[in-house]
Amino acid sequence: MRVLGLILAGGQSEALGPLVSKRASAALPVFGKYRAIDFTLSNMVNAGIRKVGVLTQYNPRSLMDHLGSGKEWDLDRKNGGLFMLQPYVSQEGYYWYKGTADAIFQNMTLLRRGEEDYVLIGSGDHIYKIDFSQVFDFHLSNGADITLLVKELDESYNLSQYGIVELAGNRIVSIVEKPQEPKTKIGFLGIYFMNKYLLMELLYNYVTKGEVDLLNIVISQLDRLKVCGYMFGGYWRNVKKGISEYYRINMDGLKKEIREELFYRHGKIYTKLKDFPPPKIGGTALVKNCIVSDGCVVNGTVENSILFRGVFVKAGAIVENSVIMQDTVIEEGAVVRNAILDKEVLIRQESRLVGRDSIAVLEKRAVL
Amino acid sequence: MRRVLALILAGGHGKRLGVLTEKIAKPAVPFGGKYRLIDFTLSNCVNSGIYQVGVLTQYRPHLLNNHINIGRPWDLDRKKGGITILPPYLGGVSGWYKGTANAVYQNIEYVDSANPDFVLILSGDHVYAMDYNDIIDFHILKGAEGTIACMEVPIEEASRFGIMITDLEAKIIDFEEKPARPRSNLASLGIYVFNWNFLKEYLTKDENDGSSTHDFGHDVIPRMIDESRRIYAYRFSGYWRDVGTIRSYWESNLELTRPIPPLNLYDRHWRFYTQTEEMPPAYCAPTSKIVNSVVSEGCEIHGTVENSVIFQGVRIGENTVVRNSVVMTATNIGRDCLISESVIAERVNIGDRVIIGQGEPAPSELDKEVYNDRITVVGMYSRIPDGLLVGKNCVIGIGVTEKDFTSNVLHSGGYVLGKE
């Protein structure tokens, strides 16, 4: 079975505020060394997908820098490999991607060329680990036209922010986007699997008529095609849902069972290498319940926090319940609590940053 | 631009590292939490802009070959040049490499095909940061035919090195390999620059000399100096270590845990590259207590770690104390253990309530030459049963299993080896 992977990584997200002022949400750093897109991309590669298109639009620089030639995912290949699909200017004018279906439609060449029979469409914003080969088997054994990944969402998800699905057996009978009063607790996870030629047909038919959203197209087919829901039981979160969700995801990395699921089951999560030395924890340090990444030097107190690569916590500094991104420096005597510090932030001696009702956020290169 | 080719001698056994090099070549020995010894020399090459590198292997090369592969982590996967592994081969002169000089002699064709102006001869088992451009510039400036990097060492250690005496212009007028009574403390670091045509001449002379041991330090360099060729000494003042013994291996690892370590791994302008397995960052649990230590990716630390270097993917259980020790990749240590002054190799499994490195030091019953300090060494893939008590200066071999232990005490100086 040959599968083409497509990753939607172009969307804008106001909910993430300063964290996305210089990057796409798919390029958000998570768990100390990863970017959000690493999860979907690694899941695809681990399932044997050798050709992946990444659809970007909003602030793509850091995403493109991160993915490079796809080397870390073994996607720097003569056949297949990684394709960055940017909106572009042509003789017919220029177009931004108007929606998910439109984005794929504008890159029809990638679908037309190549010998893949199926397309797996994911999002760069989702944090999860899955064995996609089970989805492929499910699709075939159910004789589905389209398989959507769904999950029973507990109370930690705000159901009115998700597509809510109604199932009859395996078959999806209705999908309502962001309902005020959700009928079920089953949410659509933004992951589609279908026959490539079916997708091409749908795109040619609907995008040309002005329907630019892929989910709307699928919804319009529910009574015509066999659309099945694959119930995913594992950890799944969407970084794009806002700062508190982003913070929560990072903190979930401190839970053993979540680390085991994400990093040690069904293959690895790959990311861009940085060649930092291992972290050093000094004589004056106190480190409890933390993720500490390569290149860190910790001499202060750090509790319940995620330290990304190259973070420097100097002696006497206190960091609690915080997410500290790459190359941020926290100087002597500073206090950081309930905060997200973006990359290359400098917290000077004796300064205090304490998030009280909500999480305090400092943007990239801020100095306090 | 002068063309420079680097040849890294990586065939050595490193006998004095005991079980650490029983199954792997010395350049493949892990160091500093995520590296292997050869990474330092390879990284120095690419950081110095040398992208044509030959690695001469001989002793147990599999792990080393696997590590180097096509040289990707060092950006040595190139269309032109790049990295070439040079094992001994048949059909040429003689098969096995008889010595360092003979190893280069057997690869004259390889070097000739690159046609370099200078050849840099390096060792794959030293830990240091050096910009080779400095020694090459020095070599050119002196109009030398050969240049040897050297460093002043304490006089009592001088007999472990090649010792040289220079004139005021830094020209070497005398050279002795490992002299019993050293006349100077200027030690060779095993880093040489030669004009290629000049070196070729002397390699050929050496090959045709039946009495030679075909070693650079013993034969080739003394001959060059006897014949008054222009060989100069380049003084190097940075950090350089030959981790040739278990003691120096243990010590130079632990040096990295000091507040300001002599070897700066954190210099963004002089990075050390390596091939590692992809792992998530280290996790330090609420019960952990870590001080003065290096803790690598993939670790899950629940116990106490003091003055130690912990490699990737190590798991340390609750209420366990690891002190003044080196614990290599993917080793698993259970609960309630006490590990001190030990070197634990890769993929070892240590049960619960195990004590290693306690008691009065005693001379080794296995090999007094190699195990001459108080450090206990555990070989890779070994399995240590629950409740075992191991003294100081002990040796547990490679692939030892629970069944190999006859009692639950291994007294100081004792050893247990695995059944092949």
Side-chain angles (χ1 to χ4, degrees):
Chain A
M1 187 157 82
R2 294 197 183 91
V3 182
L4 168 72
L6 291 176
I7 300 179
L8 304 166
Q12 201 175 346
S13 169
E14 273 140 33
L16 285 162
L19 296 179
V20 291
S21 65
K22 293 200 170 66
R23 60 170 76 89
S25 53
L28 271 174
V30 284
F31 303 131
K33 67 181 282 200
Y34 303 96
R35 303 279 188 150
I37 196 171
D38 293 342
F39 290 83
T40 297
L41 193 53
S42 301
N43 282 334
M44 285 185 172
V45 169
N46 288 337
I49 295 176
R50 294 288 170 260
K51 187 171 174 185
V52 179
V54 177
L55 296 133
T56 68
Q57 170 155 289
Y58 174 80
N59 259 350
R61 186 211 57 84
S62 76
L63 188 65
M64 292 170 90
D65 177 15
H66 178 70
L67 297 176
S69 61
K71 186 161 146 173
E72 307 301 346
W73 297 267
D74 266 348
L75 287 173
D76 55 333
R77 311 199 142 230
K78 292 200 172 172
N79 292 314
L82 185 70
F83 292 82
M84 297 301 287
L85 305 171
Q86 279 278 109
Y88 51 88
V89 183
S90 73
Q91 283 182 338
E92 288 92 53
Y94 65 89
Y95 311 92
W96 294 109
Y97 296 151
K98 292 191 281 282
T100 48
D102 181 52
I104 302 171
F105 180 70
Q106 289 200 41
N107 291 289
M108 194 56 91
T109 320
L110 189 71
L111 296 181
R112 245 190 277 120
R113 286 187 190 161
E115 55 221 0
E116 293 80 15
D117 313 306
Y118 293 93
V119 194
L120 177 65
I121 302 169
S123 158
D125 303 327
H126 300 162
I127 309 297
Y128 63 114
K129 176 62 112 17
I130 192 173
D131 178 5
F132 272 130
S133 63
Q134 289 181 20
V135 179
F136 306 160
D137 289 349
F138 172 90
H139 182 83
L140 295 180
S141 59
N142 279 286
D145 295 311
I146 299 175
T147 295
L148 304 183
L149 265 68
V150 299
K151 175 179 165 64
E152 192 162 336
L153 304 177
D154 61 29
E155 54 286 351
S156 68
Y157 300 82
N158 180 355
L159 292 181
S160 62
Q161 284 188 12
Y162 295 85
I164 297 300
V165 171
E166 216 179 326
L167 286 169
N170 285 329
R171 196 153 171 185
I172 293 176
V173 289
S174 86
I175 307 173
V176 189
E177 258 291 69
K178 301 179 182 169
Q180 285 306 310
E181 284 164 27
K183 271 200 250 173
T184 73
K185 287 184 164 183
I186 299 170
F188 170 48
L189 301 185
I191 302 155
Y192 309 76
F193 184 68
M194 67 181 99
N195 185 290
K196 184 175 84 175
Y197 299 97
L198 173 64
L199 174 67
M200 287 163 70
E201 242 171 58
L202 292 173
L203 293 177
Y204 274 123
N205 198 23
Y206 289 93
V207 178
T208 47
K209 289 177 190 146
E211 180 50 78
V212 294
D213 185 77
L214 186 59
L215 184 58
N216 286 343
I217 296 176
V218 172
I219 290 171
S220 73
Q221 302 302 307
L222 285 178
D223 47 358
R224 277 177 245 176
L225 297 173
K226 187 172 182 193
V227 181
C228 290
Y230 175 89
M231 191 64 82
F232 178 58
Y235 181 87
W236 177 94
R237 290 270 163 188
N238 185 348
V239 290
K240 213 172 158 185
K241 294 294 175 195
I243 285 173
S244 60
E245 183 74 2
Y246 171 77
Y247 176 81
R248 179 207 167 92
I249 290 168
N250 274 288
M251 289 298 158
D252 280 344
L254 296 174
K255 294 180 187 145
K256 186 175 174 57
E257 62 282 3
I258 289 174
R259 283 199 309 279
E260 292 288 333
E261 177 180 339
L262 290 178
F263 301 123
Y264 297 103
R265 238 172 265 160
H266 305 310
K268 291 175 177 290
I269 300 296
Y270 300 94
T271 189
K272 185 182 177 184
L273 281 183
K274 289 277 168 79
D275 298 295
F276 280 107
K280 199 171 91 177
I281 299 175
T284 53
L286 181 75
V287 180
K288 301 260 181 218
N289 197 29
C290 285
I291 283 179
V292 184
S293 308
D294 272 5
C296 286
V297 179
V298 182
N299 290 322
T301 299
V302 187
E303 280 187 70
N304 308 323
S305 296
I306 316 290
L307 303 187
F308 282 69
R309 291 187 279 204
V311 167
F312 197 172
V313 180
K314 298 194 177 177
I318 297 173
V319 177
E320 282 170 14
N321 309 322
S322 295
V323 177
I324 316 289
M325 290 192 217
Q326 192 178 311
D327 290 335
T328 282
V329 177
I330 297 160
E331 289 188 345
E332 291 86 350
V335 178
V336 176
R337 278 197 188 101
N338 310 330
I340 298 172
L341 307 188
D342 207 321
K343 288 167 78 171
E344 295 165 46
V345 165
L346 173 64
I347 305 291
R348 283 184 298 197
Q349 291 178 23
E350 313 287 335
S351 356
R352 285 176 68 85
L353 178 73
V354 179
R356 298 221 186 269
D357 304 323
S358 62
I359 306 298
V361 182
L362 282 189
E363 70 181 316
K364 195 169 170 179
R365 295 204 190 90
V367 177
L368 183 74
Chain B
M1 266 283 273
R2 307 292 184 110
R3 283 189 302 272
V4 182
L5 178 137
L7 289 175
I8 302 178
L9 304 167
H13 178 169
K15 280 193 197 74
R16 307 230 292 156
L17 285 174
V19 289
L20 300 179
T21 50
E22 196 178 311
K23 299 260 180 188
I24 60 176
K26 189 175 161 199
V29 168
F31 187 89
K34 70 188 283 197
Y35 307 97
R36 295 191 186 271
L37 291 178
I38 198 167
D39 294 339
F40 295 93
T41 306
L42 280 175
S43 302
N44 285 335
C45 282
V46 298
N47 287 339
S48 304
I50 298 166
Y51 283 97
Q52 185 143 33
V53 181
V55 181
L56 296 108
T57 61
Q58 173 154 291
Y59 176 81
R60 293 211 179 247
H62 296 126
L63 183 64
L64 192 61
N65 289 349
N66 211 350
H67 180 69
I68 296 173
N69 210 314
I70 58 167
R72 202 142 117 163
W74 303 271
D75 265 351
L76 285 168
D77 53 331
R78 312 212 132 215
K79 288 204 170 171
K80 280 185 79 178
I83 201 159
T84 311
I85 293 183
L86 304 165
Y89 55 92
L90 286 178
V93 253
S94 67
W96 297 113
Y97 296 149
K98 286 173 293 189
T100 51
N102 176 258
V104 178
Y105 176 80
Q106 292 204 42
N107 288 291
I108 281 181
E109 271 180 41
Y110 162 76
V111 183
D112 268 343
S113 69
N115 191 25
D117 298 307
F118 304 125
V119 175
L120 189 59
I121 308 279
L122 304 166
S123 185
D125 46 19
H126 298 160
V127 180
Y128 62 115
M130 184 195 259
D131 189 341
Y132 298 130
N133 290 307
D134 295 342
I135 185 171
I136 293 165
D137 288 351
F138 175 90
H139 179 83
I140 296 170
L141 198 75
K142 289 288 181 187
E145 291 168 304
T147 299
I148 301 175
C150 62
M151 197 167 76
E152 284 179 30
V153 296
I155 191 82
E156 57 271 21
E157 282 184 32
S159 56
R160 284 175 45 214
F161 294 91
I163 294 297
M164 56 193 92
I165 294 168
T166 65
D167 66 12
L168 292 173
E169 297 290 317
K171 184 166 181 269
I172 300 171
I173 50 178
D174 205 352
F175 185 96
E176 278 179 302
E177 182 71 2
K178 297 178 185 155
R181 260 187 247 148
R183 288 181 290 151
S184 120
N185 67 341
L186 203 54
S188 162
L189 305 182
I191 299 164
Y192 315 118
V193 182
F194 293 110
N195 296 348
W196 173 232
N197 287 329
F198 167 77
L199 180 63
K200 213 159 47 168
E201 178 192 331
Y202 274 84
L203 289 175
T204 312
K205 272 190 199 171
D206 176 72
E207 186 63 18
N208 296 330
D209 178 354
S211 65
S212 170
T213 58
H214 308 296
D215 184 82
F216 272 102
H218 264 118
D219 309 290
V220 177
I221 289 164
R223 185 195 296 268
M224 290 168 175
I225 288 158
D226 285 348
E227 295 181 8
S228 303
R229 302 303 293 250
R230 297 179 59 79
I231 310 296
Y232 282 79
Y234 166 79
R235 277 177 194 248
F236 178 66
S237 54
Y239 176 92
W240 179 93
R241 287 282 186 286
D242 176 5
V243 287
T245 64
I246 287 174
R247 168 94 202 176
S248 68
Y249 173 79
W250 174 81
E251 237 172 34
S252 31
N253 268 289
L254 261 51
E255 273 176 352
L256 296 173
T257 67
R258 289 191 199 156
I260 298 169
L263 175 69
N264 186 4
L265 297 174
Y266 297 82
D267 183 352
R268 296 274 171 101
H269 303 289
W270 204 269
R271 282 181 203 238
F272 295 104
Y273 303 95
T274 185
Q275 170 88 51
T276 54
E277 212 183 315
E278 180 62 55
M279 288 191 192
Y283 173 71
C284 312
T287 51
S288 73
K289 186 164 174 280
I290 306 171
V291 258
N292 275 331
S293 295
V294 169
V295 175
S296 310
E297 286 186 335
C299 284
E300 302 259 335
I301 312 285
H302 296 268
T304 299
V305 178
E306 286 173 21
N307 305 321
S308 296
V309 175
I310 312 293
F311 281 68
Q312 293 187 309
V314 171
R315 302 201 169 199
I316 296 178
E318 269 178 50
N319 207 21
T320 283
V321 179
V322 177
R323 194 177 282 151
N324 301 323
S325 294
V326 178
V327 182
M328 295 189 208
T329 309
T331 281
N332 205 348
I333 303 177
R335 314 167 54 107
D336 306 311
C337 296
L338 174 59
I339 317 278
S340 43
E341 297 190 318
S342 301
V343 176
I344 316 286
E346 296 170 73
R347 291 164 215 284
V348 170
N349 196 52
I350 296 178
D352 298 336
R353 303 179 315 282
V354 173
I355 295 178
I356 299 180
Q358 290 294 306
E360 286 302 308
S364 177
E365 293 158 14
L366 180 63
D367 186 340
K368 287 189 182 57
E369 283 285 302
V370 174
Y371 308 100
N372 54 8
D373 205 73
R374 53 183 195 278
I375 299 151
T376 288
V377 186
V378 180
M380 51 178 144
Y381 299 110
S382 284
R383 302 178 62 82
I384 313 290
D386 291 348
L388 188 74
L389 177 65
V390 181
K392 283 188 169 40
N393 199 23
C394 292
V395 182
I396 294 173
I398 293 171
V400 172
T401 64
E402 289 91 340
K403 291 188 207 103
D404 295 318
F405 293 92
T406 47
S407 82
N408 61 353
V409 179
L410 181 63
H411 57 81
S412 290
Y415 66 92
V416 175
L417 300 181
K419 296 180 185 75
E420 280 293 322

